[in-house]
């Protein structure tokens, strides 16, 4: 039983650890853009975490519920509950983020930022939370369905590759080389999400996860 748990847990922990390391590297890139962009990035990060709360909760639900369906060897239930949990995720994202974005000016006023910092923070939150309502559930909640089906290596490799090439690589290209600053870094993050969604959706329709369901039996 421990071996089965570690088979899923170790790749996930490696992926999460390297993901956090990548976030540190991205922050280090932003730290070279000046105090205004550093402050705006910090404020935007705090508001972005609020917008993603629903998705983080659904990650746990996805791997638990789908894991039960895998144990029952019921592929139809896997597909049914995957779609249901994703729908709940999208509804949750809309419920949280739409009011936040509509009242963003008032929310940012609480922080007492300067005019330039407030404008940049406003733009960053709009980029992140606006794109998150469309991409985040598929980029981060959906792969937990694959992990629950014992398909753990593909999400790990795809996520690490996407982090290194798109999030970090395009942050350097857009943010530093093209002088877009923090905005370029956050656009690179959205590009990272698009690549993840493409990989995971392709994996699902290729149906390799159906083969990995029986890997630990």
């Amino acid at each position: 039983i421990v071996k089965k748990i570690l088979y899923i847990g170790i790749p996930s922990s490696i992926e999460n650890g390297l993901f956090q390391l990548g976030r540190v590297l991205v922050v280090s890139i932003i730290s070279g853009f000046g105090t205004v962009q550093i402050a705006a990035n910090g404020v935007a990060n705090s508001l972005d975490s609020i917008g993603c709360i629903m998705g983080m909760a659904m990650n746990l639900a996805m791997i638990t519920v789908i894991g039960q369906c895998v144990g029952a060897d019921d592929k139809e239930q896997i597909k049914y509950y995957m779609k249901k949990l994703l729908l709940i995720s999208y509804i949750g994202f809309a419920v949280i983020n739409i009011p936040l974005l509509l009242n963003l000016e008032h929310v940012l006023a609480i922080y007492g930022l300067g005019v330039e910092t407030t404008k940049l923070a406003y733009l960053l939150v709009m980029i992140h939370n606006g794109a998150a309502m469309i991409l985040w559930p598929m980029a981060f909640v959906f792969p937990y369905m694959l992990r629950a089906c014992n398909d753990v290596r593909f999400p790990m490799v795809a996520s690490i590759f996407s982090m290194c090439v798109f999030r970090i690589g395009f942050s350097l290209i857009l943010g530093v080389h093209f002088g877009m600053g923090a905005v370029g870094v956050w656009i690179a993050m959205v590009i990272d999400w698009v690549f993840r969604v493409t990989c995971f959706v392709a994996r699902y329709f290729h149906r390799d996860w159906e083969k990995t369901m029986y890997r630990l039996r």
Side-chain angles (χ1 to χ4, degrees):
I1 293 175
V2 173
K3 180 181 178 180
K4 293 178 180 179
I5 293 172
L6 293 178
Y7 180 86
I8 297 175
I10 290 177
S12 297
S13 63
I14 292 173
E15 177 188 335
N16 290 330
L18 292 177
F19 179 78
Q20 296 302 323
L21 176 60
R23 293 187 66 180
V24 172
L25 293 176
V26 170
V27 171
S28 68
I29 294 173
I30 294 176
S31 66
F33 296 148
T35 55
V36 170
Q37 302 209 32
I38 294 173
N41 181 74
V43 171
N45 274 327
S46 66
L47 295 176
D48 296 343
S49 61
I50 296 174
C52 295
I53 285 177
M54 187 65 182
M56 295 174 185
M58 293 308 296
N59 288 345
L60 301 176
M62 180 70 80
I63 200 166
T64 303
V65 174
I66 299 302
Q68 294 287 330
C69 298
V70 172
D73 194 17
D74 192 332
K75 294 179 182 178
E76 293 305 315
Q77 280 201 57
I78 292 174
K79 296 175 183 178
Y80 171 78
Y81 282 108
M82 179 269 293
K83 294 175 183 177
K84 187 173 183 177
L85 292 173
L86 280 176
L87 177 61
I88 295 172
S89 298
Y90 275 106
I91 293 173
F93 266 77
V95 169
I96 294 173
N97 285 290
I98 291 176
L100 176 62
L101 295 179
L102 291 176
N103 296 280
L104 187 55
E105 291 183 2
H106 303 293
V107 174
L108 291 174
I110 299 173
Y111 289 89
L113 304 171
V115 176
E116 186 179 355
T117 306
T118 300
K119 288 182 179 179
L120 181 57
Y122 183 92
L123 179 58
L124 296 180
V125 176
M126 281 291 180
I127 291 173
H128 180 281
N129 291 36
M133 287 190 287
I134 301 172
L135 298 172
W136 211 98
M138 290 300 298
F140 294 97
V141 179
F142 179 69
Y144 275 87
M145 171 264 173
L146 300 177
R147 295 184 182 100
C149 295
N150 301 321
D151 190 9
V152 292
R153 294 177 184 172
F154 180 83
M156 179 186 69
V157 173
S159 298
I160 293 173
F161 176 82
S162 184
M163 166 63 74
C164 295
V165 174
F166 294 98
R167 185 168 295 206
I168 298 176
F170 273 83
S171 292
L172 292 171
I173 294 171
L174 298 177
V176 179
H177 181 72
F178 286 101
M180 297 177 66
V183 174
V185 172
W186 287 57
I187 292 175
M189 177 177 59
V190 175
I191 296 173
D192 168 40
W193 293 353
V194 172
F195 178 80
R196 289 169 184 260
V197 171
T198 303
C199 288
F200 298 143
V201 170
R203 183 73 169 181
Y204 175 77
F205 284 107
H206 197 260
R207 307 185 74 167
D208 289 325
W209 58 274
E210 295 184 6
K211 304 172 185 176
T212 61
M213 281 177 56
Y214 309 104
R215 185 170 288 170
L216 298 179
R217 295 187 177 182

